[in-house]
Amino acid sequence: MDLALVSAAVIALGVLVYILLDGFDLGVGILFAMAPDATARATMMNSIAPVWDGNETWLILGGAVLFAAFPLAYAVALPALYIPLMLMLFALVFRGVSFELRFKAENPRFWDFAFGIASAVAAFMQGAMLGGLVAGIKVEKNAFAGGPFDWLTPLSVVAGLGVVAGYALLGACWIVLKTEGDLQARARVWGRWLVVAVLLAMGAVSLITPLDHPRVAARWFTGLNFLYLAPVPAAARG
């Protein structure tokens, strides 16, 4: 049995499940700013109250397996992505604090605002880290050799915005599933606009990547490769 392959599959599974599960409750937080009133925000918050903290354990699983199975990759990626990683963790912690204190505060508006901002920052940083990994990490002698802001590129910014839109879309779908009446109708409208935003982000990433990385462009546009690979982004958009 190839333990490296199994470990990589476990990491991929953990990341996928995290995106699906924690993605929708981060999305609900992102949509807090669009809620029409305090009653709607309370309904949105209550819909994720039983599950939001458990969903984050999948992120811990992915990080723990990466550290145990691929220590060199962990040691290289951590300093390269230290700033967005710490901002994401701070946002997740602040989001949890906001969630708990909202129910105890006499006026929860501040904590509603904090919950929404922290959700958006966490989502954006996850996308920025993904964009930074796709852009590549400078490595010399099995160690990170770049600067602290190498991860900050046009690709990482667009990827971050795309993840924010994608999580918000998951959140809108969750609200449609768990609510009714005016809030559900609003969530349907939000979902339609967010689909457009996600498609635009995917198109921008698909455009920026070959422009910034000649190897990707060569793989895409050499011979008939474009015809062979075109179904991949087409299926993703579908």
Side-chain angles (χ1 to χ4, degrees), residues 29 41 43 55 83 106 123 134 159 171 191 200 209 218 236:
R41 287 190 291 273
T43 301
N55 291 338
I83 292 177
E106 294 183 1
V134 172
L200 289 175
T209 304

Side-chain angles (χ1 to χ4, degrees), residues 115-127:
F115 184 75
I117 292 296
S119 299
V121 170
F124 179 83
M125 291 304 161
Q126 290 176 18

Side-chain angles (χ1 to χ4, degrees), residues 29 50 78 84 158 175 232:
L78 187 63
V158 173
I175 296 170
V232 177

Side-chain angles (χ1 to χ4, degrees), residues 161-175:
L161 295 175
V163 170
V164 171
Y167 282 178
L169 177 59
L170 289 175
C173 294
W174 175 261
I175 296 170

Side-chain angles (χ1 to χ4, degrees), residues 6 14 16 20 26 63 90 142 146 148 168 178 193 215 228 235:
V6 172
L16 175 62
L20 294 177
L26 281 169
F90 285 140
N142 292 331
K178 292 295 183 178
W193 284 104
R215 288 185 301 173
Y228 298 144

Side-chain angles (χ1 to χ4, degrees), residues 11 32 39 48 54 63 87 121 136 152 161-162 177 189 191 198 206 213 222 238:
I11 294 173
F32 249 44
T39 301
I48 62 173
L87 289 174
V121 170
L152 188 58
L161 295 175
L177 180 65
V189 176
V198 170
S206 300
H213 303 281
T222 299

